Amino acid sequence: MSLDAFVRCTCIREGKAKPHPFPDRLTFDESGEPTLTGDPSEEEWEAHDQWVGESCEHEGYLLSMFLGNITRLGNLRTFLRGLQGSPGPRFPILLEKVLYDGTHTGDWISSKDAAKLLKEVNTVLHSSDILADSEKEFFTNMKLLCEASIATGNPITF
Ligand SMILES: [Zn+2]
């Protein structure tokens, strides 16, 4: 059990992707995932899923990161709670939307929130002398995900 995070590329939205099998039914759900309108049959979903996987050179994703297993994420949560102060650095998005559970999938952080999340991540990276290598790796990966999300306008999805 572990946590992965992704940021989609913008090829489909920018018309740089391979033609969709049913272009007039292609849409995006609230997490930015390409999906089909109407009441697609199993064959139509299969054709759509196959298209998503080959739609562009990125296979639909600009960035895909393994963030850690449940133990590592639990340790990071404890570490961050210890780092919070009053007054002082607070990490609401990291704690409530990223590390709240070691295995959440299917949720996402909007690119607007990714900008706020990047500030939290930079605050932690600022004290990099107290970070262990695995912690540094996690926060560096989070930074890359935030930057990709801000650059594309696509959410960070888990
Ligand atoms: Zn692409």
Side-chain angles (χ1 to χ4, degrees):
M1 298 296 268
S2 60
L3 185 64
D4 298 275
F6 314 88
V7 176
R8 290 181 179 279
C9 66
T10 55
C11 298
I12 300 172
R13 244 178 22 223
E14 290 177 358
K16 292 181 194 156
K18 200 174 114 165
H20 190 273
F22 342 106
D24 49 339
R25 293 175 51 202
L26 176 64
T27 185
F28 296 92
D29 72 11
E30 49 183 350
S31 75
E33 186 175 329
T35 185
L36 292 174
T37 57
D39 184 18
S41 67
E42 210 166 302
E43 288 78 20
E44 288 171 332
W45 277 125
E46 259 172 46
H48 170 78
D49 289 344
Q50 195 184 345
W51 171 83
V52 170
E54 338 174 306
S55 59
C56 70
E57 57 177 315
H58 315 106
E59 297 176 0
Y61 293 98
L62 199 59
L63 205 58
S64 161
M65 291 281 182
F66 171 72
L67 292 178
N69 62 25
I70 197 162
T71 309
R72 184 179 174 197
L73 294 165
N75 292 341
L76 283 160
R77 196 156 58 229
T78 308
F79 167 78
L80 262 191
R81 283 189 181 135
L83 206 61
Q84 290 203 112
S86 181
R90 312 290 297 177
F91 308 103
I93 306 178
L94 275 168
L95 285 170
E96 286 157 34
K97 293 195 157 188
V98 182
L99 291 168
Y100 69 93
D101 164 329
T103 58
H104 60 103
T105 53
D107 52 2
W108 70 91
I109 294 171
S110 71
S111 81
K112 202 172 140 221
D113 283 345
K116 296 180 202 155
L117 176 57
L118 181 58
K119 286 191 188 137
E120 294 182 18
V121 170
N122 278 334
T123 301
V124 180
L125 285 172
H126 211 70
S127 31
S128 64
D129 46 327
I130 61 163
L131 300 179
D133 284 347
S134 72
E135 292 162 353
K136 220 177 276 182
E137 189 191 347
F138 170 83
F139 290 106
T140 304
N141 287 346
M142 284 309 304
K143 185 182 165 94
L144 294 173
L145 287 161
C146 289
E147 288 171 347
S149 171
I150 295 164
T152 57
N154 287 336
I156 301 172
T157 48
F158 296 96

